[in-house]
Amino acid sequence: MTAHPSREPRTRGRPPAADPARVTAAALRLLDEVGLDALTMRKLATAVGVQVGTLYSYFPTKRALLTAMAESMLAGCRDAAEGVTGPRERVVALAKSLRVALLSYRDGARVYAGTHATGPNTLGYAEALNGALREAGLDASAAMKTSFLVLHFATGHVLEEQAAIQSAPELSAEIAGLRQALRQGDYPHLAEAHDHLTGMDLGELFEEGLRLLTAELP
């Protein structure tokens, strides 16, 4: 009887059309195309080329999908602190990197807000931010509270920025209405500063907010 060499078992069927990483990447692409409100599991399933049930086997709820998307958006954010020596400068660099990451996706701040990812991008970023604050002299409790303040400031600021981008077509009329309300009402301080109120550079405002948040750090 002739012996035959052992063979590797055959894999039956086609490889899966999707996996969590591919679904997350497709969701981010679809987010840029249609926005968060129109991002549905059914549309995502069509974009990926699978049945809706397949998506739910990876992400049982839309919130789980958004958490995975938030985790993916933070890829590389902690790298902003590499090579930055001063702890305050590292905090500022990390905050700026979060803003850039969220602005890189349509409705990025809305996706990120309220999520609690436990992946390496999110936890690595939080570790870098807390590490810089601890090095600046804050204890564990104060560092965590300050971390949340930085995260909430950056997220909230980007929410406003992205809302302004989406409302740009109506912005001129809204500014005209605001100026008229200031002229007709008893708002002397707002009226005096109306040019700054309606013509603020949001990038400069973010920088100023970071300066105030980190003013007491060395």
Side-chain angles (χ1 to χ4, degrees):
M1 186 172 180
T2 305
H4 295 282
S6 60
R7 296 178 179 177
E8 293 291 331
R10 292 183 179 181
T11 55
R12 310 187 98 184
R14 293 179 298 177
D19 56 48
R22 290 175 62 188
V23 171
T24 302
L28 289 171
R29 291 193 297 269
L30 189 59
L31 177 70
D32 281 336
E33 294 175 11
V34 302
L36 180 57
D37 292 333
L39 175 61
T40 65
M41 298 297 264
R42 187 169 299 279
K43 286 182 179 178
L44 180 56
T46 299
V48 177
V50 299
Q51 298 295 318
V52 176
T54 301
L55 298 188
Y56 282 113
S57 68
Y58 300 132
F59 304 107
T61 64
K62 187 174 180 179
R63 179 176 176 81
L65 173 64
L66 295 180
T67 298
M69 293 166 67
E71 163 70 8
S72 182
M73 286 193 293
L74 263 63
C77 279
R78 71 175 301 179
D79 297 342
E82 294 294 328
V84 181
T85 54
R88 179 186 176 277
E89 286 73 20
R90 287 210 303 279
V91 171
V92 170
L94 288 165
K96 289 181 178 180
S97 72
L98 177 60
R99 174 176 177 256
V100 170
L102 299 184
L103 282 173
S104 297
Y105 295 93
R106 181 177 175 180
D107 293 328
R110 289 180 61 200
V111 171
Y112 178 77
T115 59
H116 299 91
T118 57
N121 295 333
T122 301
L123 295 184
Y125 178 85
E127 175 68 18
L129 182 57
N130 273 266
L133 291 166
R134 292 300 303 276
E135 187 178 328
L138 277 63
D139 62 24
S141 176
M144 186 59 67
K145 289 177 182 177
T146 305
S147 291
F148 278 120
L149 286 173
V150 171
L151 293 174
H152 293 171
F153 169 68
T155 306
H157 198 280
V158 176
L159 279 170
E160 291 291 339
E161 289 186 87
Q162 293 185 318
I165 292 171
Q166 293 183 13
S167 64
E170 297 84 24
L171 192 58
S172 295
E174 291 175 353
I175 289 176
L178 173 60
R179 289 179 173 173
Q180 182 178 0
L182 294 179
R183 287 194 301 269
Q184 295 174 347
D186 184 21
Y187 312 108
H189 296 99
L190 294 179
E192 183 181 2
H194 71 85
D195 286 338
H196 301 288
L197 183 64
T198 58
M200 191 75 66
D201 183 294
L202 294 180
E204 291 182 5
L205 187 61
F206 185 78
E207 298 274 353
E208 178 65 12
L210 284 181
R211 186 187 68 78
L212 293 172
L213 274 174
T214 61
E216 296 185 6
L217 298 179

